[in-house]
Structures are given as structure tokens and as C-alpha cells.
Amino acid sequence: ETRVGDITDVFREMRPISLIVAGDSYIYFGDLEPLFAAMAEGVVGPAGYVIFTMENVGPESEKTLRETKPDWRWQLTASGRFAHRREYVESMAQAHNFIVIHYEPMDSFRYESGVGVQGHIFVLQKQALP
């Protein structure tokens, strides 16, 4: 079934969801709070999983951001997409009852104008509510 609309609404409408796979989709969100809230409502636990990729900044930008803005969570890039800090994504997962069961940095997982884009992949599992 094809759905058109805001992904946060779709996650709520389609519940219960057992698996979400999103490649190069969440890079259009800066603040991840609404997205994670919707996933938390839609994904059934503990059998529910979310797998997604995110962009990250390169090593030089990471160093500059850590020095100038140590608490940075996301950064709008020149491409108009957002790069997200690993720790921010992990904190959003924890705040919304997900555990990170796999994380992997991805060096040049996609190329844009001949330049490798830095990223990471996350695999989350919904925790059972106590």
C-alpha cells in the first residue's frame, strides 16, 4: 500500500508497525523529536525494529563543531540536508524507548558531485514497556 503524507502521521496511522526501513529519508529532519515520538507510537515492542541511515559531518567539520558548539545535535549541510551527531540520535532512541542494537559509521556511503558523503546506519529495537 502506498501512502502519501507526513511520515510522522503515517507512522501513527499504520500502527502497529513491526519494521521500518528508511534509507536517506530522515536526513530531511533537523530536530528528531517529532520523528522519534511518531516511531515510538507506531512501532510495536519488543518485536519492532527501525533501521535507518543518516548523514554525518566529515572529520574536519566534526572537530570544528566540537570546538565551537560542543552540544551540537544536527547541522544543516550545503546540500540542504541535515547531518546528525551519533550521540544525539542515540539519546533520541533512549528517550523514546528504543535500544541501539547496531551502529556503524559509513565512510562515503553515497557520492555527491564526486565527493563522498559521511554517514551512519542505526538499527533500533523497541523495548517492551514495564
Side-chain angles (χ1 to χ4, degrees), residues 61-106:
S61 295
E62 173 77 22
K63 181 178 183 239
T64 301
L65 283 166
R66 286 188 186 272
E67 291 171 356
T68 60
K69 191 177 175 189
D71 62 344
W72 79 278
R73 298 177 290 168
W74 70 85
Q75 179 71 31
L76 183 62
T77 66
S79 68
R81 297 184 298 264
F82 290 93
H84 293 84
R85 186 179 192 172
R86 174 184 180 178
E87 294 86 354
Y88 173 55
V89 177
E90 290 173 340
S91 72
M92 284 286 97
Q94 182 178 10
H96 292 283
N97 208 33
F98 289 97
I99 56 172
V100 179
I101 60 171
H102 182 77
Y103 168 82
E104 191 170 326
M106 298 187 300

Side-chain angles (χ1 to χ4, degrees), residues 7-85:
I7 195 168
T8 58
D9 294 334
V10 171
F11 287 160
R12 289 181 177 102
E13 293 166 5
M14 297 293 294
R15 69 179 167 208
I17 301 168
S18 59
L19 176 65
I20 295 172
V21 178
D24 267 359
S25 299
Y26 295 174
I27 57 178
Y28 298 102
F29 285 83
D31 179 7
L32 296 177
E33 175 63 35
L35 176 65
F36 271 81
M39 289 192 309
E41 286 182 40
V43 174
V44 63
Y49 294 87
V50 183
I51 304 165
F52 58 92
T53 60
M54 303 288 276
E55 287 188 14
N56 196 4
V57 296
E60 301 240 347
S61 295
E62 173 77 22
K63 181 178 183 239
T64 301
L65 283 166
R66 286 188 186 272
E67 291 171 356
T68 60
K69 191 177 175 189
D71 62 344
W72 79 278
R73 298 177 290 168
W74 70 85
Q75 179 71 31
L76 183 62
T77 66
S79 68
R81 297 184 298 264
F82 290 93
H84 293 84
R85 186 179 192 172

